[in-house]
Every structure is written in C-alpha cells, then in structure tokens.
Amino acid sequence: MFRLKNIGFSVVLLFFCVITVAAQNKIEREHRILKSQFPEISYTKELLGNDVKKIKYYKEIGAQEVVYRAKFKKVKLQYQMQYSANGDLQNIGFRIKQVDFPFEAFTAINNQLVESFDQFKIRRMYQQYPVKSKEDEDTVYKSAFMNLMVPNMEYKLLVKGKKDNKKVYKEYWFSATGKLIKTRNMLPANFDRVLY
C-alpha cells in the first residue's frame, strides 16, 4: 500500500514537471558579434553623422527570429538600431530616463507594473520608433535622431521584479500613451564573458 502511494505521487509529480517545462516561454539572449558577422545594411556614416561613437554589433537568437542590433552613442544618447536577418531596419531607439516620459504615460505604465509585480525595478528604458514599411525609414530616421514625440513611437522597458517570491525578468512594450502592447520573458544578464 505504501509503495503504491509513492508510485502514484511520483507519476503526479512527473506530470506536473513536464507540464511546467512545456509551458515556459522561449527566452532570447543577446551576444556581441563582429561587424563582419552583421548583415549588410543601408545606413552610412553620412546618414548617422560624424558624431557617432562606439559602434557595437549584437545578435539575438530567439524562438521566432534572429535579430541584429547596432548600438552606438550619438549626442550623449545611447542609440540602438534593430535589423532583421535580411538587413531590413525594424526600429531605432535610444535609452531614456523617467524624466523623459510624459507624466500621463509614465503613470499608466507604472500602474500596470505595480499590478504585475509584488516589487520591481526598471533596469532600462528605451524610446523606440518602429519601421512599418520601407517607405517609413526616412521618417523614422528623422523622428529618432531629432527625438520627436510622435504617436506611433513606443516605450520599451526591461524590468526585474518579484512575483510570488520568485525573481522575474521581463521586457515590456508600451504605446506613446502608456498602453501595454506586448511583454516577453527574458534571462538575467549574461556574464559568461567574465574570466577569473
């Protein structure tokens, strides 16, 4: 009788473990790459300007797609340009701080984060300009590099929080008015490159 209970318990435990593993979201991680490994892209130094510094290249392999990012500093702002594997521009964004948000948008975003976590800390915030079509690229360049507040821009937040005593790392995308667009689980920072 005792052995039968142990077997039943083991089967139920195994079932829940399999369900939990299968239900987890696919999580992406970004790795630094060489310029030669980056897809051929259309931007030029003339288009970005001579004040661009510290260009670095990254590759993110996810469940659905491969994404490439060029990160650089321009006029004291930290920009990133995201490309598809074909070299098509997907968005341009730069890091911002809380003071850069319109008050109503940040209040709406903060309220949603308070509801989602027991406690949280916003690690990074970006103001992004998505590219919907090839014809939009010139407008997106102008809006991003002039830091214009346009209705189709988005805010991306990297958040570290606790929910039910578990650490959670998530990415959030919000509209210009603070409405939630999408969310994605992410891994904590990768320190594999650190040698001891």
Side-chain angles (χ1 to χ4, degrees):
M1 180 75 172
F2 179 72
R3 186 177 174 131
L4 188 59
K5 283 185 181 178
N6 283 346
I7 293 173
F9 177 76
S10 297
V11 169
V12 170
L13 183 64
L14 180 65
F15 175 76
F16 282 114
C17 288
V18 169
I19 294 263
T20 303
V21 170
Q24 290 180 354
N25 290 343
K26 299 289 184 192
I27 300 176
E28 293 83 9
R29 181 167 274 166
E30 185 177 78
H31 300 281
R32 188 154 175 206
I33 59 173
L34 299 172
K35 183 178 180 180
S36 59
Q37 297 170 306
F38 206 78
E40 194 165 319
I41 50 178
S42 61
Y43 82 82
T44 61
K45 192 82 169 169
E46 295 80 36
L47 184 62
L48 296 179
N50 293 325
D51 52 352
V52 172
K53 299 175 185 172
K54 301 180 183 177
I55 299 179
K56 296 177 184 170
Y57 302 94
Y58 295 86
K59 179 180 183 180
E60 181 182 284
I61 300 173
Q64 293 147 356
E65 63 179 339
V66 175
V67 174
Y68 293 88
R69 287 192 185 94
K71 296 183 180 183
F72 55 89
K73 203 168 185 180
K74 178 179 170 69
V75 194
K76 298 184 181 179
L77 289 175
Q78 294 178 359
Y79 280 89
Q80 64 179 18
M81 298 174 73
Q82 181 172 304
Y83 292 89
S84 69
N86 299 333
D88 296 325
L89 182 64
Q90 294 179 332
N91 67 55
I92 302 175
F94 54 88
R95 282 182 67 173
I96 58 173
K97 296 179 181 174
Q98 182 178 336
V99 296
D100 299 319
F101 279 89
F103 178 75
E104 297 81 13
F106 190 79
T107 302
I109 290 168
N110 192 57
N111 290 342
Q112 292 181 54
L113 294 177
V114 167
E115 290 175 13
S116 300
F117 296 100
D118 299 329
Q119 60 187 64
F120 67 91
K121 182 176 183 178
I122 300 172
R123 307 292 293 186
R124 288 193 183 112
M125 298 181 275
Y126 294 92
Q127 185 169 312
Q128 293 186 329
Y129 299 85
V131 177
K132 305 293 184 192
S133 67
K134 278 282 192 191
E135 294 76 33
D136 288 347
E137 282 189 18
D138 289 337
T139 307
V140 169
Y141 275 114
K142 180 181 175 186
S143 300
F145 294 121
M146 292 180 70
N147 191 3
L148 299 177
M149 302 293 279
V150 293
N152 67 333
M153 70 178 206
E154 299 172 353
Y155 295 111
K156 177 182 172 184
L157 279 70
L158 282 61
V159 181
K160 174 185 175 183
K162 274 193 174 180
K163 183 72 173 172
D164 302 325
N165 288 330
K166 292 182 182 175
K167 284 186 182 177
V168 181
Y169 297 87
K170 287 194 173 243
E171 287 179 303
Y172 287 89
W173 286 265
F174 295 93
S175 69
T177 58
K179 182 181 173 193
L180 181 64
I181 298 171
K182 66 178 178 175
T183 181
R184 179 174 78 175
N185 289 336
M186 58 183 276
L187 290 171
N190 182 7
F191 295 106
D192 292 346
R193 67 190 181 280
V194 179
L195 301 174
Y196 296 97

